[in-house]
Amino acid sequence: MFKEIVGIDYTVDIDFEDNYTTSLTLSFLVLVIETGHRFKMKIRYLNVSDFSVRKMTNLYLTRSLIIHDRKELGWEMNQRYHVHDDSGYGENDGYNFIEFYCSSMEAVSLEEF
């Protein structure tokens, strides 16, 4: 179970042709319910756009981030995934604290917390 986001690292890289590449690395506190073990997991999202974080003190999650794969809709697009947390109403359509689009994502690390 994802408990909360404990780190946000947003970077913009510019190459010699002035092409921009954006990435967002989120660190999550993850709890294994059966054992009570806690882990810190990092996931990197690539080519991030429309990144939005609302005013907050802590970024608690109800379960995990919601990821909509827009390719399933049959659209060809650069920003394949729409990622956000739950609005609090449990309908997976709105966001409460964080929202963005990205072209891909990758697991970076998992370590004991």
Side-chain angles (χ1 to χ4, degrees), residues 1-9 25-32 36-44 61 106-113:
M1 179 173 133
F2 287 70
K3 294 287 286 179
E4 63 185 296
I5 295 175
V6 293
I8 298 174
D9 182 22
T25 303
L26 296 179
S27 299
F28 298 92
L29 174 61
V30 180
L31 174 68
V32 179
H37 287 96
R38 298 175 355 151
F39 294 92
K40 183 178 180 181
M41 179 176 66
K42 289 186 181 183
I43 298 179
R44 182 173 296 123
L61 299 172
E106 62 187 18
V108 176
S109 66
L110 179 66
E111 58 190 45
E112 284 196 57
F113 189 75

PDB file of all heavy atoms in Angstrom, residues 1-9 25-32 36-44 61 106-113:
ATOM      1  N   MET A   1       0.847  -1.179   0.000  1.00  0.00           N
ATOM      2  CA  MET A   1       0.000   0.000   0.000  1.00  0.00           C
ATOM      3  C   MET A   1       0.886   1.233   0.000  1.00  0.00           C
ATOM      4  O   MET A   1       1.814   1.345   0.792  1.00  0.00           O
ATOM      5  CB  MET A   1      -0.889  -0.015   1.240  1.00  0.00           C
ATOM      6  CG  MET A   1      -1.791   1.165   1.350  1.00  0.00           C
ATOM      7  SD  MET A   1      -2.929   0.940   2.729  1.00  0.00           S
ATOM      8  CE  MET A   1      -2.771   2.512   3.503  1.00  0.00           C
ATOM      9  N   PHE A   2       0.642   2.148  -0.919  1.00  0.00           N
ATOM     10  CA  PHE A   2       1.360   3.417  -0.945  1.00  0.00           C
ATOM     11  C   PHE A   2       0.810   4.284   0.180  1.00  0.00           C
ATOM     12  O   PHE A   2      -0.402   4.453   0.299  1.00  0.00           O
ATOM     13  CB  PHE A   2       1.123   4.144  -2.266  1.00  0.00           C
ATOM     14  CG  PHE A   2       1.825   3.529  -3.436  1.00  0.00           C
ATOM     15  CD1 PHE A   2       1.439   2.307  -3.949  1.00  0.00           C
ATOM     16  CD2 PHE A   2       2.862   4.194  -4.048  1.00  0.00           C
ATOM     17  CE1 PHE A   2       2.065   1.754  -5.043  1.00  0.00           C
ATOM     18  CE2 PHE A   2       3.511   3.652  -5.144  1.00  0.00           C
ATOM     19  CZ  PHE A   2       3.109   2.434  -5.637  1.00  0.00           C
ATOM     20  N   LYS A   3       1.691   4.817   1.011  1.00  0.00           N
ATOM     21  CA  LYS A   3       1.246   5.667   2.116  1.00  0.00           C
ATOM     22  C   LYS A   3       1.281   7.146   1.734  1.00  0.00           C
ATOM     23  O   LYS A   3       0.317   7.862   1.963  1.00  0.00           O
ATOM     24  CB  LYS A   3       2.134   5.448   3.346  1.00  0.00           C
ATOM     25  CG  LYS A   3       2.023   4.068   3.950  1.00  0.00           C
ATOM     26  CD  LYS A   3       0.728   3.871   4.688  1.00  0.00           C
ATOM     27  CE  LYS A   3       0.760   4.632   5.988  1.00  0.00           C
ATOM     28  NZ  LYS A   3      -0.444   4.516   6.756  1.00  0.00           N
ATOM     29  N   GLU A   4       2.428   7.586   1.194  1.00  0.00           N
ATOM     30  CA  GLU A   4       2.573   8.994   0.848  1.00  0.00           C
ATOM     31  C   GLU A   4       3.772   9.200  -0.060  1.00  0.00           C
ATOM     32  O   GLU A   4       4.621   8.328  -0.188  1.00  0.00           O
ATOM     33  CB  GLU A   4       2.724   9.850   2.109  1.00  0.00           C
ATOM     34  CG  GLU A   4       3.966   9.537   2.927  1.00  0.00           C
ATOM     35  CD  GLU A   4       4.008  10.314   4.232  1.00  0.00           C
ATOM     36  OE1 GLU A   4       4.090  11.552   4.185  1.00  0.00           O
ATOM     37  OE2 GLU A   4       3.946   9.676   5.281  1.00  0.00           O
ATOM     38  N   ILE A   5       3.808  10.361  -0.689  1.00  0.00           N
ATOM     39  CA  ILE A   5       4.968  10.754  -1.471  1.00  0.00           C
ATOM     40  C   ILE A   5       5.894  11.513  -0.531  1.00  0.00           C
ATOM     41  O   ILE A   5       5.485  12.474   0.124  1.00  0.00           O
ATOM     42  CB  ILE A   5       4.559  11.629  -2.663  1.00  0.00           C
ATOM     43  CG1 ILE A   5       3.714  10.801  -3.632  1.00  0.00           C
ATOM     44  CG2 ILE A   5       5.788  12.197  -3.368  1.00  0.00           C
ATOM     45  CD1 ILE A   5       3.142  11.594  -4.792  1.00  0.00           C
ATOM     46  N   VAL A   6       7.155  11.052  -0.432  1.00  0.00           N
ATOM     47  CA  VAL A   6       8.104  11.668   0.501  1.00  0.00           C
ATOM     48  C   VAL A   6       9.218  12.421  -0.221  1.00  0.00           C
ATOM     49  O   VAL A   6      10.093  12.979   0.424  1.00  0.00           O
ATOM     50  CB  VAL A   6       8.707  10.611   1.459  1.00  0.00           C
ATOM     51  CG1 VAL A   6       7.638  10.061   2.383  1.00  0.00           C
ATOM     52  CG2 VAL A   6       9.394   9.486   0.701  1.00  0.00           C
ATOM     53  N   GLY A   7       9.188  12.451  -1.556  1.00  0.00           N
ATOM     54  CA  GLY A   7      10.192  13.196  -2.298  1.00  0.00           C
ATOM     55  C   GLY A   7       9.740  13.477  -3.717  1.00  0.00           C
ATOM     56  O   GLY A   7       9.129  12.636  -4.370  1.00  0.00           O
ATOM     57  N   ILE A   8      10.021  14.709  -4.182  1.00  0.00           N
ATOM     58  CA  ILE A   8       9.692  15.118  -5.545  1.00  0.00           C
ATOM     59  C   ILE A   8      10.936  15.768  -6.139  1.00  0.00           C
ATOM     60  O   ILE A   8      11.467  16.721  -5.581  1.00  0.00           O
ATOM     61  CB  ILE A   8       8.521  16.125  -5.580  1.00  0.00           C
ATOM     62  CG1 ILE A   8       7.252  15.490  -5.015  1.00  0.00           C
ATOM     63  CG2 ILE A   8       8.297  16.649  -6.986  1.00  0.00           C
ATOM     64  CD1 ILE A   8       6.086  16.454  -4.879  1.00  0.00           C
ATOM     65  N   ASP A   9      11.419  15.217  -7.264  1.00  0.00           N
ATOM     66  CA  ASP A   9      12.590  15.765  -7.942  1.00  0.00           C
ATOM     67  C   ASP A   9      12.235  15.969  -9.412  1.00  0.00           C
ATOM     68  O   ASP A   9      12.106  15.006 -10.165  1.00  0.00           O
ATOM     69  CB  ASP A   9      13.782  14.814  -7.799  1.00  0.00           C
ATOM     70  CG  ASP A   9      15.045  15.359  -8.439  1.00  0.00           C
ATOM     71  OD1 ASP A   9      15.137  16.596  -8.627  1.00  0.00           O
ATOM     72  OD2 ASP A   9      15.933  14.559  -8.758  1.00  0.00           O
ATOM     73  N   THR A  25      11.034  12.445 -10.680  1.00  0.00           N
ATOM     74  CA  THR A  25      11.275  11.272  -9.853  1.00  0.00           C
ATOM     75  C   THR A  25      10.509  11.452  -8.549  1.00  0.00           C
ATOM     76  O   THR A  25      10.721  12.435  -7.833  1.00  0.00           O
ATOM     77  CB  THR A  25      12.776  11.075  -9.569  1.00  0.00           C
ATOM     78  OG1 THR A  25      13.468  10.991 -10.816  1.00  0.00           O
ATOM     79  CG2 THR A  25      13.021   9.821  -8.758  1.00  0.00           C
ATOM     80  N   LEU A  26       9.605  10.523  -8.292  1.00  0.00           N
ATOM     81  CA  LEU A  26       8.822  10.558  -7.056  1.00  0.00           C
ATOM     82  C   LEU A  26       9.301   9.446  -6.138  1.00  0.00           C
ATOM     83  O   LEU A  26       9.506   8.312  -6.581  1.00  0.00           O
ATOM     84  CB  LEU A  26       7.334  10.365  -7.346  1.00  0.00           C
ATOM     85  CG  LEU A  26       6.654  11.448  -8.171  1.00  0.00           C
ATOM     86  CD1 LEU A  26       5.184  11.094  -8.404  1.00  0.00           C
ATOM     87  CD2 LEU A  26       6.770  12.811  -7.513  1.00  0.00           C
ATOM     88  N   SER A  27       9.483   9.782  -4.867  1.00  0.00           N
ATOM     89  CA  SER A  27       9.830   8.792  -3.843  1.00  0.00           C
ATOM     90  C   SER A  27       8.586   8.531  -3.007  1.00  0.00           C
ATOM     91  O   SER A  27       7.963   9.464  -2.494  1.00  0.00           O
ATOM     92  CB  SER A  27      10.949   9.312  -2.948  1.00  0.00           C
ATOM     93  OG  SER A  27      12.102   9.572  -3.707  1.00  0.00           O
ATOM     94  N   PHE A  28       8.231   7.268  -2.897  1.00  0.00           N
ATOM     95  CA  PHE A  28       7.030   6.861  -2.170  1.00  0.00           C
ATOM     96  C   PHE A  28       7.406   6.100  -0.911  1.00  0.00           C
ATOM     97  O   PHE A  28       8.353   5.316  -0.914  1.00  0.00           O
ATOM     98  CB  PHE A  28       6.176   5.915  -3.026  1.00  0.00           C
ATOM     99  CG  PHE A  28       5.666   6.507  -4.287  1.00  0.00           C
ATOM    100  CD1 PHE A  28       6.382   6.389  -5.467  1.00  0.00           C
ATOM    101  CD2 PHE A  28       4.460   7.176  -4.312  1.00  0.00           C
ATOM    102  CE1 PHE A  28       5.913   6.919  -6.647  1.00  0.00           C
ATOM    103  CE2 PHE A  28       3.973   7.712  -5.493  1.00  0.00           C
ATOM    104  CZ  PHE A  28       4.698   7.583  -6.663  1.00  0.00           C
ATOM    105  N   LEU A  29       6.644   6.287   0.156  1.00  0.00           N
ATOM    106  CA  LEU A  29       6.704   5.430   1.325  1.00  0.00           C
ATOM    107  C   LEU A  29       5.683   4.327   1.087  1.00  0.00           C
ATOM    108  O   LEU A  29       4.503   4.597   0.868  1.00  0.00           O
ATOM    109  CB  LEU A  29       6.361   6.205   2.595  1.00  0.00           C
ATOM    110  CG  LEU A  29       6.260   5.398   3.876  1.00  0.00           C
ATOM    111  CD1 LEU A  29       7.591   4.712   4.196  1.00  0.00           C
ATOM    112  CD2 LEU A  29       5.843   6.287   5.027  1.00  0.00           C
ATOM    113  N   VAL A  30       6.151   3.075   1.058  1.00  0.00           N
ATOM    114  CA  VAL A  30       5.301   1.927   0.768  1.00  0.00           C
ATOM    115  C   VAL A  30       5.262   1.033   1.996  1.00  0.00           C
ATOM    116  O   VAL A  30       6.294   0.755   2.606  1.00  0.00           O
ATOM    117  CB  VAL A  30       5.849   1.141  -0.447  1.00  0.00           C
ATOM    118  CG1 VAL A  30       4.970  -0.049  -0.743  1.00  0.00           C
ATOM    119  CG2 VAL A  30       5.963   2.042  -1.651  1.00  0.00           C
ATOM    120  N   LEU A  31       4.075   0.579   2.356  1.00  0.00           N
ATOM    121  CA  LEU A  31       3.884  -0.287   3.516  1.00  0.00           C
ATOM    122  C   LEU A  31       3.354  -1.635   3.049  1.00  0.00           C
ATOM    123  O   LEU A  31       2.369  -1.707   2.320  1.00  0.00           O
ATOM    124  CB  LEU A  31       2.883   0.350   4.483  1.00  0.00           C
ATOM    125  CG  LEU A  31       2.464  -0.479   5.687  1.00  0.00           C
ATOM    126  CD1 LEU A  31       3.628  -0.651   6.650  1.00  0.00           C
ATOM    127  CD2 LEU A  31       1.284   0.170   6.381  1.00  0.00           C
ATOM    128  N   VAL A  32       4.025  -2.712   3.461  1.00  0.00           N
ATOM    129  CA  VAL A  32       3.525  -4.066   3.210  1.00  0.00           C
ATOM    130  C   VAL A  32       2.582  -4.380   4.368  1.00  0.00           C
ATOM    131  O   VAL A  32       3.021  -4.514   5.517  1.00  0.00           O
ATOM    132  CB  VAL A  32       4.676  -5.094   3.137  1.00  0.00           C
ATOM    133  CG1 VAL A  32       4.123  -6.494   2.912  1.00  0.00           C
ATOM    134  CG2 VAL A  32       5.653  -4.705   2.047  1.00  0.00           C
ATOM    135  N   GLY A  36       4.066  -5.346   7.839  1.00  0.00           N
ATOM    136  CA  GLY A  36       4.348  -4.064   8.471  1.00  0.00           C
ATOM    137  C   GLY A  36       5.664  -3.443   8.022  1.00  0.00           C
ATOM    138  O   GLY A  36       6.037  -2.378   8.496  1.00  0.00           O
ATOM    139  N   HIS A  37       6.389  -4.096   7.107  1.00  0.00           N
ATOM    140  CA  HIS A  37       7.648  -3.545   6.611  1.00  0.00           C
ATOM    141  C   HIS A  37       7.389  -2.306   5.772  1.00  0.00           C
ATOM    142  O   HIS A  37       6.432  -2.245   5.006  1.00  0.00           O
ATOM    143  CB  HIS A  37       8.410  -4.577   5.778  1.00  0.00           C
ATOM    144  CG  HIS A  37       9.014  -5.658   6.598  1.00  0.00           C
ATOM    145  ND1 HIS A  37       8.398  -6.862   6.786  1.00  0.00           N
ATOM    146  CD2 HIS A  37      10.196  -5.709   7.272  1.00  0.00           C
ATOM    147  CE1 HIS A  37       9.154  -7.624   7.549  1.00  0.00           C
ATOM    148  NE2 HIS A  37      10.253  -6.946   7.863  1.00  0.00           N
ATOM    149  N   ARG A  38       8.298  -1.330   5.923  1.00  0.00           N
ATOM    150  CA  ARG A  38       8.185  -0.082   5.170  1.00  0.00           C
ATOM    151  C   ARG A  38       9.360   0.023   4.208  1.00  0.00           C
ATOM    152  O   ARG A  38      10.491  -0.310   4.552  1.00  0.00           O
ATOM    153  CB  ARG A  38       8.158   1.106   6.113  1.00  0.00           C
ATOM    154  CG  ARG A  38       6.965   1.066   7.025  1.00  0.00           C
ATOM    155  CD  ARG A  38       6.883   2.126   8.076  1.00  0.00           C
ATOM    156  NE  ARG A  38       7.982   3.024   8.197  1.00  0.00           N
ATOM    157  CZ  ARG A  38       7.878   4.285   8.632  1.00  0.00           C
ATOM    158  NH1 ARG A  38       6.710   4.756   8.977  1.00  0.00           N
ATOM    159  NH2 ARG A  38       8.932   5.045   8.744  1.00  0.00           N
ATOM    160  N   PHE A  39       9.056   0.518   3.010  1.00  0.00           N
ATOM    161  CA  PHE A  39      10.076   0.684   1.979  1.00  0.00           C
ATOM    162  C   PHE A  39       9.961   2.063   1.361  1.00  0.00           C
ATOM    163  O   PHE A  39       8.895   2.675   1.383  1.00  0.00           O
ATOM    164  CB  PHE A  39       9.911  -0.367   0.870  1.00  0.00           C
ATOM    165  CG  PHE A  39      10.154  -1.770   1.329  1.00  0.00           C
ATOM    166  CD1 PHE A  39       9.110  -2.547   1.789  1.00  0.00           C
ATOM    167  CD2 PHE A  39      11.427  -2.308   1.310  1.00  0.00           C
ATOM    168  CE1 PHE A  39       9.325  -3.849   2.216  1.00  0.00           C
ATOM    169  CE2 PHE A  39      11.660  -3.598   1.735  1.00  0.00           C
ATOM    170  CZ  PHE A  39      10.612  -4.369   2.185  1.00  0.00           C
ATOM    171  N   LYS A  40      11.086   2.522   0.814  1.00  0.00           N
ATOM    172  CA  LYS A  40      11.098   3.750   0.035  1.00  0.00           C
ATOM    173  C   LYS A  40      11.312   3.339  -1.419  1.00  0.00           C
ATOM    174  O   LYS A  40      12.309   2.707  -1.749  1.00  0.00           O
ATOM    175  CB  LYS A  40      12.221   4.675   0.494  1.00  0.00           C
ATOM    176  CG  LYS A  40      12.262   5.994  -0.215  1.00  0.00           C
ATOM    177  CD  LYS A  40      13.377   6.854   0.362  1.00  0.00           C
ATOM    178  CE  LYS A  40      13.469   8.189  -0.308  1.00  0.00           C
ATOM    179  NZ  LYS A  40      14.586   8.980   0.258  1.00  0.00           N
ATOM    180  N   MET A  41      10.351   3.669  -2.270  1.00  0.00           N
ATOM    181  CA  MET A  41      10.399   3.284  -3.676  1.00  0.00           C
ATOM    182  C   MET A  41      10.471   4.549  -4.529  1.00  0.00           C
ATOM    183  O   MET A  41       9.747   5.511  -4.275  1.00  0.00           O
ATOM    184  CB  MET A  41       9.146   2.493  -4.052  1.00  0.00           C
ATOM    185  CG  MET A  41       9.097   2.086  -5.488  1.00  0.00           C
ATOM    186  SD  MET A  41       7.664   1.058  -5.887  1.00  0.00           S
ATOM    187  CE  MET A  41       6.337   2.209  -5.623  1.00  0.00           C
ATOM    188  N   LYS A  42      11.375   4.539  -5.527  1.00  0.00           N
ATOM    189  CA  LYS A  42      11.499   5.671  -6.447  1.00  0.00           C
ATOM    190  C   LYS A  42      11.051   5.243  -7.835  1.00  0.00           C
ATOM    191  O   LYS A  42      11.447   4.193  -8.332  1.00  0.00           O
ATOM    192  CB  LYS A  42      12.947   6.160  -6.520  1.00  0.00           C
ATOM    193  CG  LYS A  42      13.413   6.865  -5.277  1.00  0.00           C
ATOM    194  CD  LYS A  42      14.790   7.444  -5.472  1.00  0.00           C
ATOM    195  CE  LYS A  42      15.238   8.135  -4.191  1.00  0.00           C
ATOM    196  NZ  LYS A  42      16.545   8.770  -4.373  1.00  0.00           N
ATOM    197  N   ILE A  43      10.216   6.083  -8.445  1.00  0.00           N
ATOM    198  CA  ILE A  43       9.757   5.872  -9.813  1.00  0.00           C
ATOM    199  C   ILE A  43      10.025   7.153 -10.596  1.00  0.00           C
ATOM    200  O   ILE A  43       9.731   8.247 -10.120  1.00  0.00           O
ATOM    201  CB  ILE A  43       8.261   5.504  -9.866  1.00  0.00           C
ATOM    202  CG1 ILE A  43       8.022   4.190  -9.117  1.00  0.00           C
ATOM    203  CG2 ILE A  43       7.775   5.407 -11.309  1.00  0.00           C
ATOM    204  CD1 ILE A  43       6.593   3.751  -9.076  1.00  0.00           C
ATOM    205  N   ARG A  44      10.592   6.990 -11.794  1.00  0.00           N
ATOM    206  CA  ARG A  44      10.891   8.131 -12.658  1.00  0.00           C
ATOM    207  C   ARG A  44       9.899   8.159 -13.812  1.00  0.00           C
ATOM    208  O   ARG A  44       9.637   7.145 -14.458  1.00  0.00           O
ATOM    209  CB  ARG A  44      12.310   8.041 -13.205  1.00  0.00           C
ATOM    210  CG  ARG A  44      12.687   9.236 -14.084  1.00  0.00           C
ATOM    211  CD  ARG A  44      14.154   9.229 -14.484  1.00  0.00           C
ATOM    212  NE  ARG A  44      14.968   9.365 -13.285  1.00  0.00           N
ATOM    213  CZ  ARG A  44      15.917   8.485 -12.918  1.00  0.00           C
ATOM    214  NH1 ARG A  44      16.178   7.433 -13.654  1.00  0.00           N
ATOM    215  NH2 ARG A  44      16.611   8.677 -11.818  1.00  0.00           N
ATOM    216  N   LEU A  61      -1.502   9.443   0.060  1.00  0.00           N
ATOM    217  CA  LEU A  61      -2.218   8.780  -1.020  1.00  0.00           C
ATOM    218  C   LEU A  61      -3.229   7.813  -0.433  1.00  0.00           C
ATOM    219  O   LEU A  61      -2.973   7.193   0.593  1.00  0.00           O
ATOM    220  CB  LEU A  61      -1.236   8.007  -1.914  1.00  0.00           C
ATOM    221  CG  LEU A  61      -0.167   8.859  -2.593  1.00  0.00           C
ATOM    222  CD1 LEU A  61       0.853   7.962  -3.270  1.00  0.00           C
ATOM    223  CD2 LEU A  61      -0.799   9.798  -3.602  1.00  0.00           C
ATOM    224  N   GLU A 106       9.571   4.459 -15.228  1.00  0.00           N
ATOM    225  CA  GLU A 106      10.478   3.360 -14.909  1.00  0.00           C
ATOM    226  C   GLU A 106      10.718   3.295 -13.412  1.00  0.00           C
ATOM    227  O   GLU A 106      10.757   4.317 -12.741  1.00  0.00           O
ATOM    228  CB  GLU A 106      11.808   3.513 -15.647  1.00  0.00           C
ATOM    229  CG  GLU A 106      12.566   4.771 -15.281  1.00  0.00           C
ATOM    230  CD  GLU A 106      13.802   5.019 -16.131  1.00  0.00           C
ATOM    231  OE1 GLU A 106      13.913   4.428 -17.218  1.00  0.00           O
ATOM    232  OE2 GLU A 106      14.643   5.799 -15.709  1.00  0.00           O
ATOM    233  N   ALA A 107      10.858   2.085 -12.903  1.00  0.00           N
ATOM    234  CA  ALA A 107      11.209   1.894 -11.499  1.00  0.00           C
ATOM    235  C   ALA A 107      12.690   2.186 -11.348  1.00  0.00           C
ATOM    236  O   ALA A 107      13.508   1.722 -12.146  1.00  0.00           O
ATOM    237  CB  ALA A 107      10.902   0.469 -11.067  1.00  0.00           C
ATOM    238  N   VAL A 108      13.056   2.956 -10.324  1.00  0.00           N
ATOM    239  CA  VAL A 108      14.447   3.346 -10.112  1.00  0.00           C
ATOM    240  C   VAL A 108      15.068   2.553  -8.969  1.00  0.00           C
ATOM    241  O   VAL A 108      16.151   1.990  -9.118  1.00  0.00           O
ATOM    242  CB  VAL A 108      14.562   4.861  -9.841  1.00  0.00           C
ATOM    243  CG1 VAL A 108      15.980   5.250  -9.522  1.00  0.00           C
ATOM    244  CG2 VAL A 108      14.018   5.653 -11.009  1.00  0.00           C
ATOM    245  N   SER A 109      14.384   2.499  -7.824  1.00  0.00           N
ATOM    246  CA  SER A 109      14.964   1.796  -6.680  1.00  0.00           C
ATOM    247  C   SER A 109      13.884   1.424  -5.675  1.00  0.00           C
ATOM    248  O   SER A 109      12.797   1.985  -5.659  1.00  0.00           O
ATOM    249  CB  SER A 109      16.031   2.660  -6.005  1.00  0.00           C
ATOM    250  OG  SER A 109      15.452   3.805  -5.416  1.00  0.00           O
ATOM    251  N   LEU A 110      14.250   0.444  -4.835  1.00  0.00           N
ATOM    252  CA  LEU A 110      13.412   0.017  -3.720  1.00  0.00           C
ATOM    253  C   LEU A 110      14.368  -0.321  -2.576  1.00  0.00           C
ATOM    254  O   LEU A 110      15.254  -1.143  -2.716  1.00  0.00           O
ATOM    255  CB  LEU A 110      12.587  -1.210  -4.094  1.00  0.00           C
ATOM    256  CG  LEU A 110      11.677  -1.768  -3.012  1.00  0.00           C
ATOM    257  CD1 LEU A 110      10.567  -0.787  -2.678  1.00  0.00           C
ATOM    258  CD2 LEU A 110      11.090  -3.106  -3.447  1.00  0.00           C
ATOM    259  N   GLU A 111      14.206   0.379  -1.442  1.00  0.00           N
ATOM    260  CA  GLU A 111      15.097   0.139  -0.292  1.00  0.00           C
ATOM    261  C   GLU A 111      14.303   0.225   0.992  1.00  0.00           C
ATOM    262  O   GLU A 111      13.226   0.835   1.046  1.00  0.00           O
ATOM    263  CB  GLU A 111      16.224   1.169  -0.293  1.00  0.00           C
ATOM    264  CG  GLU A 111      15.744   2.603  -0.249  1.00  0.00           C
ATOM    265  CD  GLU A 111      16.838   3.632  -0.484  1.00  0.00           C
ATOM    266  OE1 GLU A 111      17.632   3.440  -1.416  1.00  0.00           O
ATOM    267  OE2 GLU A 111      16.864   4.623   0.275  1.00  0.00           O
ATOM    268  N   GLU A 112      14.811  -0.430   2.027  1.00  0.00           N
ATOM    269  CA  GLU A 112      14.132  -0.371   3.322  1.00  0.00           C
ATOM    270  C   GLU A 112      14.110   1.057   3.829  1.00  0.00           C
ATOM    271  O   GLU A 112      15.065   1.799   3.655  1.00  0.00           O
ATOM    272  CB  GLU A 112      14.815  -1.300   4.322  1.00  0.00           C
ATOM    273  CG  GLU A 112      14.481  -2.740   4.062  1.00  0.00           C
ATOM    274  CD  GLU A 112      14.826  -3.622   5.250  1.00  0.00           C
ATOM    275  OE1 GLU A 112      14.312  -3.355   6.357  1.00  0.00           O
ATOM    276  OE2 GLU A 112      15.611  -4.548   5.048  1.00  0.00           O
ATOM    277  N   PHE A 113      13.026   1.404   4.491  1.00  0.00           N
ATOM    278  CA  PHE A 113      12.847   2.774   4.993  1.00  0.00           C
ATOM    279  C   PHE A 113      13.001   2.764   6.496  1.00  0.00           C
ATOM    280  O   PHE A 113      12.449   1.957   7.178  1.00  0.00           O
ATOM    281  CB  PHE A 113      11.462   3.276   4.602  1.00  0.00           C
ATOM    282  CG  PHE A 113      11.250   4.737   4.880  1.00  0.00           C
ATOM    283  CD1 PHE A 113      11.830   5.687   4.060  1.00  0.00           C
ATOM    284  CD2 PHE A 113      10.469   5.146   5.930  1.00  0.00           C
ATOM    285  CE1 PHE A 113      11.627   7.038   4.310  1.00  0.00           C
ATOM    286  CE2 PHE A 113      10.245   6.497   6.181  1.00  0.00           C
ATOM    287  CZ  PHE A 113      10.842   7.443   5.357  1.00  0.00           C
TER     288      PHE A 113
END
